[in-house]
Amino acid sequence: MTTNSKDILVLAATGKTGRRLVPTLRAAGHRVRAASRSGEVRFDWDDRDSWPAVVRGAKAVYLVPPADPALAEVFVELAVEAGVRRLVALSGRGMDRYDPELFPSVAAGERAVRGSGVEWTIIRANNFDQNFDEDLWHAPLRAGRLALPTGGVPEPFVDVRDVADVAAALLTSDGHHGRAYDISGPRALTFAEAVAVMAEAAGRKIRFEELSPADYAAEQLADGLSEEAVAEVGSIFDVMRAGHLADPADGVRRILGRDPVRFEDYAARAAAAGAWS
């Protein structure tokens, strides 16, 4: 693999944020290594032999934490030894408020970049708009019913295009070292309100049903999820119901100087592409 000291390494380059970030950086004239198990540059968290060539000579890394918390620090140490001098890590909003044991892989990613000894910035994002049309809640919405234990607490969903644009700015501009930015959409909607917006955009009936945590867990177990996976997802809703993430954050405006994408605009775009038809 050809390396260049001006390269920016994007991990999870085929993921939600990565596949938007790569073209954004390239359109601005930056050299990018788009790394993933099936992408342009092969990178596999479970195959450490794939790590050295990916980081060698790169100047900056966009880090999406691995599922295994033990790997983040090892990878970051290798990257810094190879010459990386800037790290931007994707995280979740509220990681500064909750027990890191609730989300160990994300917490490990934050610890790894903080302790790296080089420039670092953390993006703490609310739930993505694209969770509704790319995975997670897509299938239930197409089936006409989304049932979750939200407690009616609103969420300022954020568009992944905004997350990618923020990441591009942090990777390529100065003045952000040692900061963690909260990133959200412009206003908070309850899940019921969000489903209503998507249903109207799609021109069909889709309903939201509020479940108790116990009933939600029972449905997930009945659908074949493991008890461990159900507990992890349940923790996410525990965090949301606490309400600490409900107020819109100003990270997009602070970094990009513009308002974030509105949920209504996301829904119209996704519906036009047939997301919930």
Side-chain angles (χ1 to χ4, degrees), residues 136-197:
L136 201 57
W137 303 313
H138 185 209
L141 287 166
R142 292 200 65 167
R145 171 185 178 263
L146 180 63
L148 301 171
T150 70
V153 176
E155 172 88 4
F157 304 101
V158 64
D159 197 285
V160 291
R161 295 190 305 171
D162 285 335
V163 179
D165 286 350
V166 164
L170 298 179
L171 286 163
T172 59
S173 60
D174 297 330
H176 303 288
H177 170 52
R179 298 182 182 180
Y181 290 101
D182 286 345
I183 303 296
S184 82
R187 73 182 183 98
L189 297 87
T190 65
F191 275 76
E193 290 170 336
V195 169
V197 169

Side-chain angles (χ1 to χ4, degrees), residues 92-99 103 124-125 182 239 244-245:
R93 193 170 173 201
M95 285 304 297
D96 54 335
R97 291 177 173 268
Y98 297 101
D99 184 344
F103 309 106
R124 290 178 173 154
D182 286 345
V239 168
H244 299 306
L245 315 183

Side-chain angles (χ1 to χ4, degrees), residues 43-146:
F43 174 81
D44 188 340
W45 282 109
D46 294 326
D47 179 9
R48 297 196 189 190
D49 289 340
S50 71
W51 297 8
V54 170
V55 299
R56 190 177 302 122
K59 67 172 182 178
V61 175
Y62 176 64
L63 175 70
V64 178
D68 183 349
L71 298 180
E73 183 176 358
V74 180
F75 174 81
V76 166
E77 289 178 352
L78 177 69
V80 172
E81 289 174 2
V84 168
R85 290 297 173 261
R86 178 172 293 176
L87 298 158
V88 175
L90 180 63
S91 182
R93 193 170 173 201
M95 285 304 297
D96 54 335
R97 291 177 173 268
Y98 297 101
D99 184 344
E101 294 303 316
L102 287 175
F103 309 106
S105 63
V106 179
E110 287 205 7
R111 287 195 303 271
V113 299
R114 286 179 180 276
S116 64
V118 298
E119 291 186 16
W120 60 266
T121 316
I122 295 169
I123 301 172
R124 290 178 173 154
N126 274 87
N127 268 295
F128 297 157
D129 291 348
Q130 282 71 15
N131 289 341
F132 291 109
D133 74 289
E134 294 188 10
D135 59 15
L136 201 57
W137 303 313
H138 185 209
L141 287 166
R142 292 200 65 167
R145 171 185 178 263
L146 180 63

